[in-house]
Amino acid sequence: MDYLERLCRFVANTQWEDIPQAVRDRTCAIVLDTLPVMAWGMRTPQLQALAAQQMAFGNSGPCWVVGLEKTTNRIDAAMLNGIAGAWLDFDEGNFLANGHPGIQVIPAALAVAQERGLSGREFLTAVALSYEVVARIGMATQIKLIINPHGTFGVVGAALATARLLDLPVTEYRNLASLAASSCVATNRHTMLDGATVRNWYAGHSGYMGQMAVRLVESGFTGPSDGVNTTFSLVLGDGFQGEVSVQDLGQRWLLTEGYLKLYPTARYVHSAIDALHDLQAKAPRTIAIDEVADMEVRAYRLAAYLSTQRPKDWFGARFSIPFALATLMVGERSGLDAFGDAAVNDPRIVNLASKIRVIEEPSFSAGYPAQQRVDLSLTTVGGACFHGQCTTTSGEPDRPHSDEALLHKFNDLAIPLWGESAASELRNAVLNMPACPDVSKLLHFLP
């Protein structure tokens, strides 16, 4: 079997009992982190407007539109939940995978499982296995810098998750994966720098197109002999190594090597935030913002790309290292309000961000992703110099977040949405999802 056949057979044939306990637990943790992030995204005016239009013309169904307390058909639910989950850039991700595997596959798997009344184990198995495919294809791809990873590798993962949950014949998996890979979006990273929210549609495309790919295969459509290699070596990437995607398959689980976010910003921004925290911890005193004369951030390439000093709105703020450092220093807060429109227009933050320069350091780029090196230098108006550094970004497997920090994030998001009692009920239900007989009836208040 070649690499693609092996990936397909891995998804089709691996059982819940074959998945290590650490992987099962991490899958539950990712789902738990994702649900309130989706709900907050769904509460935004743009998502509410889109959901209203989509649900007015689509078929009904039992699948959650998380955050709206409504249900719809599985294709629309997966699309809307995928967009909402990416909206605030607060979702799970994976450096090795070059993206965010969780939000690519969870919406489709959840919607299909709910439509069919499947168990928590069936849902979680599909998530874990399809996540692994997305992550491994991402790891094996030398993706072009201009490409945003949402809506690319994830289409293949969402398609395979759907195929497993719908009992598509195993003989169709390879054709499905090839067809799905040939149905990716031509994404671009300039959407982030321009504050263009179409970027969030890309994640919704994964859940939508992954399911459509299955429908196409069921209808007799065919893909090329190896659409994965063609798309990711020639179209969206500058090289793809199939053998890398299956190395230690079933033994090494990339799902356990990802991260959960404590800040609603692009992951590369977190490395600079960690360097700032290191600087502040080393400084003999608190540095007032009006003391700052200049800040220089030397970073690896993907972090250095996020150098915009004056984002135009709350969305662009999530992709600006100067803004992130400034808003954290000015407001001494790190939640959603620190990256809202009020913060974007705060003159103190605007002024401080204008003093922060981000420069690529080639040696740091060469060491990425094994290291996420960022050096920060701050010079005061009096000439004093302070330094901070990040080598491994907080939240990585070698530097994990504490359980308390992750619980704090969950409560900060879930309690304002559903109340303290319901938030606790949600947490317990998701952490015990392997025992759930029907995920469509997991909780009375979702949707």
Side-chain angles (χ1 to χ4, degrees), residues 309-362:
Q309 292 177 310
R310 184 69 170 97
K312 68 179 184 180
D313 59 17
W314 65 269
F315 187 64
R318 283 156 169 74
F319 309 101
S320 165
I321 285 177
F323 175 84
L325 299 184
T327 191
L328 295 181
M329 290 184 70
V330 169
E332 296 183 350
R333 61 197 190 280
S334 58
L336 296 177
D337 60 336
F339 295 85
D341 280 333
V344 170
N345 296 312
D346 187 323
R348 298 170 300 166
I349 295 174
V350 172
N351 180 58
L352 182 56
S354 70
K355 301 176 183 179
I356 302 174
R357 296 171 291 109
V358 184
I359 302 169
E360 181 184 357
E361 173 55 57

Side-chain angles (χ1 to χ4, degrees), residues 52-274:
Q53 291 196 58
Q54 198 71 19
M55 294 169 69
F57 292 99
N59 295 323
S60 60
C63 311
W64 295 343
V65 182
V66 179
L68 287 189
E69 289 74 48
K70 296 180 181 179
T71 62
T72 189
N73 64 83
R74 62 177 168 86
I75 290 184
D76 283 344
M79 180 190 69
L80 293 169
N81 287 333
I83 299 171
W87 196 263
L88 300 175
D89 209 53
F90 217 175
D91 57 306
E92 177 272 349
N94 192 304
F95 270 133
L96 295 173
N98 282 314
H100 303 256
I103 201 59
Q104 312 300 311
V105 299
I106 290 172
L110 179 63
V112 175
Q114 290 185 321
E115 181 192 65
R116 291 175 58 88
L118 301 179
S119 70
R121 286 191 178 192
E122 290 171 295
F123 162 66
L124 292 169
T125 299
V127 170
L129 299 177
S130 58
Y131 181 111
E132 202 65 19
V133 169
V134 174
R136 286 175 168 275
I137 293 176
M139 182 174 67
T141 300
Q142 185 182 338
I143 196 167
K144 294 177 180 178
L145 179 62
I146 192 61
I147 297 297
N148 185 293
H150 285 310
T152 58
F153 322 120
V155 180
V156 181
L160 291 176
T162 300
R164 181 181 174 106
L165 293 170
L166 292 180
D167 296 322
L168 190 75
V170 178
T171 53
E172 295 285 0
Y173 274 48
R174 183 191 175 95
N175 179 43
L176 171 65
S178 188
L179 187 152
S182 305
S183 306
C184 301
V185 183
T187 65
N188 77 79
R189 288 185 189 268
H190 285 176
T191 56
M192 300 186 303
L193 301 184
D194 293 341
T197 51
V198 67
R199 171 260 188 193
N200 301 321
W201 150 247
Y202 301 158
H205 176 80
S206 289
Y208 174 86
M209 193 61 226
Q211 293 185 72
M212 279 301 303
V214 173
R215 187 169 289 180
L216 291 171
V217 168
E218 289 176 326
S219 302
F221 285 67
T222 59
S225 59
D226 189 347
V228 173
N229 181 70
T230 299
T231 296
F232 298 116
S233 67
L234 298 174
V235 182
L236 302 180
D238 293 319
F240 175 78
Q241 297 175 287
E243 66 278 8
V244 171
S245 71
V246 292
Q247 187 173 1
D248 299 323
L249 182 65
Q251 303 300 316
R252 178 189 182 187
W253 292 77
L254 299 187
L255 180 145
T256 64
E257 299 182 39
Y259 56 81
L260 300 175
K261 291 184 175 182
L262 296 185
Y263 310 98
T265 68
R267 181 56 171 170
Y268 315 121
V269 175
H270 294 215
S271 305
I273 292 173
D274 285 346

Side-chain angles (χ1 to χ4, degrees), residues 339-394:
F339 295 85
D341 280 333
V344 170
N345 296 312
D346 187 323
R348 298 170 300 166
I349 295 174
V350 172
N351 180 58
L352 182 56
S354 70
K355 301 176 183 179
I356 302 174
R357 296 171 291 109
V358 184
I359 302 169
E360 181 184 357
E361 173 55 57
S363 64
F364 296 175
S365 298
Y368 177 87
Q371 291 186 341
Q372 306 93 46
R373 176 79 179 270
V374 171
D375 286 1
L376 193 156
S377 299
L378 184 156
T379 304
T380 69
V381 291
C385 295
F386 301 90
H387 302 279
Q389 182 184 93
C390 169
T391 302
T392 299
T393 310
S394 58

